[in-house]
Amino acid sequence: MTSGTGNDVLVRGLRVLGRAIRTEPRLFTISAIGSSFFGFLIIANSYVVGAVIGRVVVPAFAERRVSSGGLALTCAVLLGISGLRVASIWARRLGAGFMQFRLQARYRRAVTRRYLALPPEWHQRHATGTLLSNASSDVEAAFAPIAPLPFAVGTIVMIAGALVALFLTDWVLALVGVALFPALFALNFFYSRRMAPRQIHAQRMRAKVAAVAHESFDGALVVKTMGREADESRRFGVFVTELRDALVAVGRLRGVFDPLMESLPSVGTLAVLLIGTWRLQSGAITVTELISVAFLFTVLAFPVRAIGWVVGELPRSVAGWERVQAVLAAEGDLSYGTGDLPGTGPAELRFDRVDYRYADGPPVLSDVSFTVPAGTTVALVGATGSGKSTIAALAMRLVDPASGSVSLDDVKLPDLSAPALAAATGLVPQIPFVFDDTVRGNVALDRPEIDDDAVRAALRLAQAEGFVSALPDGLDTEVGERGTSLSGGQRQRLTLARALAGRPRLLVLDDATSAVDPRVEAAILGALRESGTSLLVVAYRRASIALADLVVYLHQGRVVATGTHTELMDSQPGYRDLVTAYEKADQ
């Protein structure tokens, strides 16, 4: 994101406001009309007050009597103007509030949709806390000027109307306004130039603090067990202090600007009274006109500040908007076709000369070819870093290969529609994720076709029915954030049941049973084999590998050999050493 100052930030900020107005033109029109009407009423009220003092109050003191009719008319007019001002304020605030909140909701949804559309590889390059900041504080900052914007527009209309009224009243007094109003705009411009870098830096620090805080909370267990609480607090404190200093710098400048904005109209009022007294003595104006102009300058201070509010928020708005746009403009989407898989039942998965690398890194997979025949279980075996999880991601089309192809039942994955691919495949990742919901909610995920019978059947296949039935409320038990009330093995079985509930034609298990004991793992794999689903399993335990119909042995991103477990134990020393090492590690 570029930082920019002065005219650059002002122009970019006005573009953001223009985009907001084009997005919600009706609400902006309502609020701007209400604000403009409010400005005209301020001018009218000033001249009514002047007329009341000049034609009612002054004669009453001179004649020592009050006209009841004039007093009643005065009260009626002032009450009428007050009622109209209430209506105009209501229209302005309601329109501006609805506009601001609708824009924030619209862009929060857009950012979230973009997050869901971008591949895991993109998410891995961005801190979770920063992404949360994009969807929350950055969106909020982008449209922070919307609330005072209609008021500022109405103020500009009011200033134009006030200048016209001043010239119609007395050209000498109008010159005070001609001198004052440019000074107000110049002060706002100077304020924008000085505030821009401060607001942009503060917005960046908000995102950084959010990222560090999320990382600290997410790694709380590691921090506690390693005794690093004090160090983590100090690390967090460094960024919090920098954010504090950035916000103090913003507040210090605003503390200078606000009193100046308050004082300029007061200076104008004093000038009007001094010059107006001279004009009154020379007979150029009347008492009514002098009071009207002086009162007008008195009430200008608060509305004119609305312009400062908008200008002051523009740098923060630009910073937030550009951070949001960086997400919305992010590239890396996976394009989908419109095809569907033919037939029903288990699907055949085929890798054909697949190469893959992450970004500009070294190759992860090279010339990988193998097949998972329909209804069979294929185990991927290899040392850490050999490419097993990458193959699992490719099989689910979380990423696309650099070259070669991955297909289901001879249909290349990019040719399938997103719903067709999601319905045909299921993934249980290495790290199980459990929502802060009930057992039923975690398994069904609001899929309308999955009823309680389907949930129980999936739990039964995942060997999870026993522990779920022992929970206090069974399927209705709340499992807590990330499933904190469950053990690691229970979370793995719950996420396995979630994948099975959709009846996938291909199920990919990426070391998905590592937290359960070997007996339960063997029972799970045995039940899955009997279900007829095609299985691609990243396996480590010898007993689990032996259950597979076929084993694919990987080494440094290449398929070294394929065959049964027994065949590879006899023919591949590297495979034999690896499996033996796994077996010893489990003992």
Side-chain angles (χ1 to χ4, degrees):
M1 181 184 67
T2 57
S3 56
T5 58
N7 288 335
D8 184 39
V9 172
L10 182 61
V11 170
R12 284 185 286 155
L14 292 176
R15 287 175 182 166
V16 175
L17 296 183
R19 179 70 172 267
I21 292 169
R22 290 193 300 273
T23 304
E24 295 289 348
R26 182 177 301 178
L27 289 173
F28 175 75
T29 301
I30 292 172
S31 57
I33 289 175
S35 182
S36 300
F37 190 48
F38 176 81
F40 286 127
L41 288 172
I42 286 180
I43 298 172
N45 191 62
S46 300
Y47 281 87
V48 168
V49 169
V52 168
I53 293 175
R55 298 179 184 180
V56 177
V57 176
V58 172
F61 277 103
E63 300 174 6
R64 297 182 181 279
R65 67 182 182 87
V66 178
S67 170
S68 58
L71 188 60
L73 179 61
T74 298
C75 291
V77 172
L78 291 175
L79 286 173
I81 291 177
S82 297
L84 291 173
R85 287 176 66 180
V86 169
S88 66
I89 291 172
W90 180 83
R92 184 193 80 219
R93 290 187 174 180
L94 190 66
F98 266 90
M99 181 180 177
Q100 184 179 41
F101 298 140
R102 286 185 65 170
L103 285 167
Q104 289 175 354
R106 176 192 293 268
Y107 278 89
R108 283 194 175 103
R109 287 193 293 265
V111 168
T112 303
R113 284 195 298 267
R114 196 76 195 103
Y115 285 162
L116 296 175
L118 288 165
E121 185 180 1
W122 184 89
H123 287 269
Q124 290 165 1
R125 298 196 305 268
H126 298 80
T128 304
T130 301
L131 301 184
L132 291 173
S133 178
N134 291 151
S136 55
S137 65
D138 287 335
V139 171
E140 183 178 334
F143 301 109
I146 296 301
L149 176 62
F151 199 4
V153 171
T155 298
I156 293 173
V157 173
M158 181 192 70
I159 289 174
L163 284 173
V164 172
L166 287 173
F167 275 105
L168 291 175
T169 301
D170 182 61
W171 68 270
V172 176
L173 295 179
L175 292 178
V176 178
V178 170
L180 175 65
F181 296 143
L184 290 171
F185 284 107
L187 181 60
N188 277 298
F189 177 75
F190 175 78
Y191 174 66
S192 174
R193 288 179 62 89
R194 298 297 299 272
M195 181 61 79
R198 291 170 170 82
Q199 286 280 28
I200 290 172
H201 178 58
Q203 193 63 21
R204 285 174 174 168
M205 289 311 304
R206 284 188 180 95
K208 187 63 178 177
V209 167
V212 175
H214 182 274
E215 186 179 50
S216 298
F217 301 152
D218 218 28
L221 182 60
V222 175
V223 173
K224 292 288 289 183
T225 55
M226 298 295 291
R228 307 300 295 173
E229 295 94 335
D231 297 277
E232 191 65 18
S233 296
R234 280 193 294 271
R235 185 172 79 98
F236 184 63
V238 169
F239 295 103
V240 170
T241 300
E242 190 171 349
L243 174 60
R244 180 205 64 191
D245 293 343
L247 294 176
V248 167
V250 169
R252 185 180 293 118
L253 182 59
R254 185 168 287 165
V256 174
F257 172 75
D258 286 351
L260 287 175
M261 285 297 295
E262 286 279 2
S263 63
L264 276 179
S266 300
V267 172
T269 303
L270 180 60
V272 164
L273 290 174
L274 292 174
I275 298 173
T277 301
W278 167 66
R279 297 289 288 170
L280 179 64
Q281 290 175 345
S282 65
I285 61 173
T286 64
V287 172
T288 297
E289 291 171 331
L290 175 59
I291 297 299
S292 298
V293 173
F295 188 80
L296 178 60
F297 274 81
T298 301
V299 298
L300 276 178
F302 179 72
V304 168
R305 289 186 67 189
I307 300 174
W309 294 335
V310 173
V311 174
E313 290 290 350
L314 282 183
R316 182 177 170 224
S317 173
V318 169
W321 174 257
E322 292 181 352
R323 292 172 65 85
V324 168
Q325 287 302 303
V327 174
L328 298 181
E331 298 178 350
D333 304 59
L334 298 177
S335 60
Y336 290 88
T338 58
D340 202 349
L341 283 182
T344 59
E348 179 183 86
L349 172 69
R350 177 173 296 171
F351 276 64
D352 186 15
R353 305 181 67 85
V354 169
D355 294 338
Y356 185 79
R357 71 175 65 226
Y358 288 100
D360 297 325
V364 178
L365 298 176
S366 299
D367 198 29
V368 170
S369 297
F370 68 89
T371 300
V372 179
T376 63
T377 299
V378 172
L380 288 175
V381 179
T384 301
S386 60
K388 303 183 296 299
S389 292
T390 302
I391 288 177
L394 287 163
M396 293 297 301
R397 211 195 165 212
L398 299 178
V399 293
D400 278 335
S403 62
S405 65
V406 183
S407 59
L408 280 177
D409 283 348
D410 295 325
V411 179
K412 293 181 179 179
L413 298 190
D415 295 334
L416 292 171
S417 66
L421 181 61
T425 59
L427 170 68
V428 186
Q430 286 178 320
I431 302 174
F433 183 84
V434 179
F435 294 94
D436 187 5
D437 200 349
T438 63
V439 172
R440 177 189 289 105
N442 268 284
V443 176
L445 286 187
D446 292 328
R447 290 173 284 186
E449 72 277 9
I450 299 177
D451 55 17
D452 280 2
D453 289 339
V455 169
R456 291 190 179 92
L459 290 170
R460 195 175 305 117
L461 269 177
Q463 303 297 305
E465 189 177 33
F467 83 79
V468 169
S469 62
L471 293 174
D473 298 312
L475 294 179
D476 295 313
T477 301
E478 297 279 350
V479 297
E481 185 178 4
R482 295 181 178 268
T484 52
S485 64
L486 304 177
S487 69
Q490 289 172 335
R491 288 196 294 271
Q492 283 192 332
R493 281 178 278 172
L494 194 61
T495 54
L496 175 58
R498 177 194 299 155
L500 290 170
R503 298 180 181 274
R505 299 174 62 179
L506 169 72
L507 182 62
V508 179
L509 305 181
D510 186 5
D511 191 24
T513 54
S514 59
V516 300
D517 61 65
R519 180 184 58 80
V520 175
E521 182 184 38
I524 291 172
L525 293 178
L528 293 176
R529 281 170 56 90
E530 293 175 4
S531 70
T533 301
S534 301
L535 291 175
L536 179 62
V537 183
V538 175
Y540 292 90
R541 291 170 176 163
R542 183 169 185 167
S544 304
I545 297 171
L547 291 173
D549 300 300
L550 186 70
V551 177
V552 176
Y553 173 41
L554 296 168
H555 180 66
Q556 295 183 349
R558 293 180 178 273
V559 176
V560 175
T562 59
T564 65
H565 170 64
T566 303
E567 291 170 348
L568 295 184
M569 288 291 286
D570 293 337
S571 62
Q572 297 293 325
Y575 174 83
R576 182 169 58 250
D577 293 342
L578 182 65
V579 172
T580 303
Y582 286 150
E583 188 174 25
K584 290 179 179 178
D586 279 340
Q587 291 176 353

